Amino acid sequence: QLYRYTLRWDHVAPTRPANGRNPNDAAYRWGVADAIVSGLRARGIAPIVTLFGTPRWANGGKGPHWAPRSKWHFASFAHAAAKRYGGKVNHWLVWNEPNKAGFFRPTSPRAYVRLLNVAYPAIKSGDPNAAAVGAGVTGPRGGRGGVSPVAWIRGMDRARARLDAY
């Protein structure tokens, strides 16, 4: 009844949008995501959408696991996605396994919460009916270059994370 789909910011916005908050900006490439969200809903499956993957234009040419230089670029994308899929997607997740260096850099709760805390209101303003914005979505162990889930949760709390679900 539920399906978790990763909406790749780097795939949807390979070039910088003129107005990142506008889901109809010519730079956005929503085709694959549109088909997946529509296909899931047509089959009675509710999508839970994870926002992930920084485009090179937003992080100085680094890979998709690196945080953007400006948290506001991510907030704009989150708003545009929520506006585009308003009424079709009710549950959102911000990033995947940010406690693992292979998924999020810099691998720190504070850096992650900087993105989360601008994405949360951006999603809610893009779709005022969005039911929940989840965060954390940590890997089960910190491992090499990572942070344990318990330490991550505590770090998110210290950084005053805004979320509806962990």
Side-chain angles (χ1 to χ4, degrees):
Q1 296 175 348
L2 298 171
Y3 180 82
R4 183 172 164 207
Y5 170 63
T6 300
L7 181 61
R8 295 281 306 256
W9 180 25
D10 56 325
H11 293 180
V12 173
T15 58
R16 185 176 178 172
N19 179 356
R21 289 177 57 88
N22 179 358
N24 297 316
D25 189 287
Y28 284 131
R29 304 286 179 253
W30 300 105
V32 171
D34 286 352
I36 290 171
V37 169
S38 294
L40 289 169
R41 291 193 43 85
R43 290 162 181 81
I45 301 169
I48 300 172
V49 174
T50 302
L51 303 177
F52 172 81
T54 307
R56 292 185 177 278
W57 60 261
N59 65 12
K62 296 178 181 174
H65 56 282
W66 282 90
R69 289 182 172 175
S70 169
K71 63 186 179 182
W72 300 111
H73 290 305
F74 185 67
S76 293
F77 173 68
H79 176 87
K83 190 168 183 96
R84 182 163 190 95
Y85 298 114
K88 296 176 183 173
V89 174
N90 294 315
H91 295 86
W92 297 87
L93 298 170
V94 176
W95 226 263
N96 181 58
E97 296 189 354
N99 66 318
K100 309 285 281 175
F103 284 93
F104 186 76
R105 288 195 171 209
T107 312
S108 84
R110 184 168 304 283
Y112 173 68
V113 169
R114 284 187 64 227
L115 289 185
L116 170 63
N117 283 357
V118 297
Y120 182 92
I123 291 167
K124 297 287 187 164
S125 68
D127 179 10
N129 296 314
V133 176
V137 197
T138 53
R141 291 182 281 295
R144 189 170 159 209
V147 178
S148 78
V150 173
W152 192 266
I153 292 167
R154 289 181 179 143
M156 285 179 62
D157 183 51
R158 282 191 301 276
R160 300 179 190 257
R162 293 182 68 187
L163 62 146
D164 298 318
Y166 183 90

